[in-house]
Amino acid sequence: VANEGTWYQRRAAVVDTILGQKLDVVGIQEASQAWLKAVDGTGSPINLSQFEDLVNRLGGPYKLTDPDRNNCVKSTTPTKCVYKDQGASQGTKIIYNSTALTLIDKGSKRLSEVDAGSNDRYVAWAILEQKSSGKRFFFANTHLEPVADSVGLSAYYDLRIKQTQEILAVVKVKGLDLPTYVVGDFNSHKWTSPRNGPYDTMIAARFVDPLGNASRSTQATQGA
């Protein structure tokens, strides 16, 4: 969108929002792997991705659960990639406050697609332990497929439901019956036709919407 502004124009506001909310864990999407126009103290170029730049600007205790860029033996670049599962999930990343939380385990799963030419979609996950209590929880972050007219609305409606089911399968296998939080851009909302498929799928799996923003609801969302 033309009026969004570049990352260079927006990043201070993103950092201020995360720090202002005092978040211990946050899921981000579309954090580009493309290298930024950055230089070090000597003026030499730095190969820095958007999500790496964000974590650096958050400072000190904030870390990525998985800093790898690509699922390759050499994870910093996809050039001449020899496949190796590093848990990388492109621009879908989890950031946590290492002062408050300890990273116990992490990974990702590539989700299904309709069009082989579309961007890969992932669910990134992590098991984190609260240092103050010793309690663990499971956190997942995703970015589902948007609508593409070339394939058709119904195909992508069905795909987002399938992708949500795949996320739930990851929760079942990796979540170890821990308290679980799933966040992300589901590319679906309460007025999506015929239904908000990902939402309905999550609710059917006994997840709770903390905002109370049910499909077709005309009530104001609840406070976070």
Side-chain angles (χ1 to χ4, degrees):
V1 179
N3 64 357
E4 281 189 346
T6 67
W7 171 243
Y8 306 101
Q9 295 167 322
R10 293 183 290 115
R11 59 188 176 188
V14 174
V15 170
D16 289 346
T17 299
I18 293 174
L19 295 179
Q21 294 296 316
K22 300 180 180 179
L23 300 177
D24 285 337
V25 60
V26 59
I28 58 174
Q29 305 87 38
E30 296 188 27
S32 174
Q33 292 175 268
W35 289 340
L36 301 175
K37 300 173 183 176
V39 295
D40 62 18
T42 66
S44 300
I46 302 172
N47 295 332
L48 198 67
S49 71
Q50 188 178 25
F51 58 78
E52 292 163 339
D53 184 44
L54 174 57
V55 171
N56 288 348
R57 289 174 181 278
L58 288 171
Y62 284 94
K63 297 181 179 180
L64 291 157
T65 59
D66 193 331
D68 288 307
R69 295 175 182 169
N70 305 281
N71 287 312
C72 306
V73 171
K74 185 179 179 181
S75 67
T76 55
T77 174
T79 304
K80 297 182 180 179
C81 177
V82 177
Y83 181 81
K84 180 181 180 181
D85 184 3
Q86 305 279 20
S89 50
Q90 293 191 352
T92 300
K93 292 290 189 178
I94 299 171
I95 298 173
Y96 72 103
N97 181 346
S98 63
T99 298
L101 302 172
T102 300
L103 177 64
I104 303 300
D105 198 5
K106 51 84 177 177
S108 71
K109 176 179 172 55
R110 183 179 170 185
L111 303 176
S112 294
E113 59 188 14
V114 169
D115 184 352
S118 63
N119 291 330
D120 291 341
R121 301 288 167 175
Y122 288 88
V123 56
W125 61 268
I127 295 176
L128 296 155
E129 181 177 281
Q130 188 178 40
K131 290 184 177 181
S132 62
S133 67
K135 294 181 178 180
R136 296 183 178 184
F137 62 93
F138 187 83
F139 188 91
N141 175 41
T142 194
H143 188 183
L144 302 189
E145 195 71 36
V147 172
D149 294 336
S150 60
V151 177
L153 295 177
S154 62
Y156 276 86
Y157 175 80
D158 293 340
L159 175 62
R160 284 191 290 275
I161 292 176
K162 183 178 182 181
Q163 290 176 333
T164 305
Q165 292 169 338
E166 291 171 344
I167 292 167
L168 292 172
V170 170
V171 172
K172 183 176 181 180
V173 173
K174 301 293 186 179
L176 306 176
D177 294 323
L178 293 169
T180 297
Y181 304 86
V182 180
V183 304
D185 182 351
F186 287 81
N187 272 308
S188 186
H189 55 80
K190 65 182 179 180
W191 300 114
T192 298
S193 180
R195 292 281 297 178
N196 188 349
Y199 183 97
D200 293 345
T201 303
M202 296 296 294
I203 295 299
R206 301 180 66 183
F207 277 79
V208 175
D209 172 13
L211 298 179
N213 200 11
S215 295
R216 302 299 189 268
S217 170
T218 58
Q219 297 180 352
T221 57
Q222 300 171 11

